[in-house]
Amino acid sequence: MAASKSPSSAPAAVAPTASPDNAPQPLSLDQLNAATTTVTTEPSVAPVLSPPGAPQAAAQATTAAAWQSTKKVLALWTNNADRNGYAYVDGVGWKRLATNSDSVHEALLTLASSGRLAGSITYPEAADGLIHEIYLW
């Protein structure tokens, strides 16, 4: 039969002492509420500021279908709501990207991002004011 060690002969585990800088602090009631409160955003929230160097006034929206050719994307904006991305098109203003599906929205955001980095975009004006297709070269 194997001999067992008594608890008094076992080495004691000593917890490292925490420095005052790294010591956990209890949360105040305000901090606890802020940490556990769910923030909801309005899905139709749009950007309110223009990118630096862009004109503050956007062009008036047209009702007839027209093409916006060789436009630069100066900025992109989104928040944590689903399908809520916008592109700031030079001379036009903030334009919301299509919201009909996640994959379409993501593809348009990728194209708008590429247009912002490397070239110009062309897109048709839609009756609903959204960008549904982008041509990039």
Side-chain angles (χ1 to χ4, degrees):
M1 183 177 229
S4 64
K5 292 186 177 181
S6 66
S8 62
S9 65
V14 178
T17 58
S19 69
D21 297 337
N22 294 336
Q25 301 293 320
L27 293 176
S28 69
L29 185 57
D30 290 336
Q31 291 171 326
L32 184 60
N33 285 338
T36 58
T37 303
T38 302
V39 177
T40 58
T41 59
E42 192 68 29
S44 62
V45 173
V48 293
L49 298 175
S50 297
Q56 294 295 325
Q60 294 294 325
T62 60
T63 55
W67 285 83
Q68 296 291 336
S69 298
T70 61
K71 296 291 185 176
K72 293 289 286 181
V73 176
L74 299 178
L76 297 170
W77 182 89
T78 189
N79 64 6
N80 62 347
D82 293 335
R83 303 176 192 167
N84 196 37
Y86 289 77
Y88 191 93
V89 181
D90 189 25
V92 177
W94 287 108
K95 297 293 289 183
R96 189 170 187 186
L97 302 176
T99 59
N100 47 338
S101 76
D102 288 339
S103 59
V104 167
H105 189 77
E106 186 176 333
L108 287 172
L109 192 57
T110 302
L111 285 170
S113 177
S114 296
R116 182 183 185 285
L117 295 173
S120 61
I121 64 168
T122 297
Y123 67 93
E125 287 283 344
D128 60 2
L130 304 178
I131 295 178
H132 291 277
E133 56 187 292
I134 291 177
Y135 298 88
L136 174 69
W137 50 85

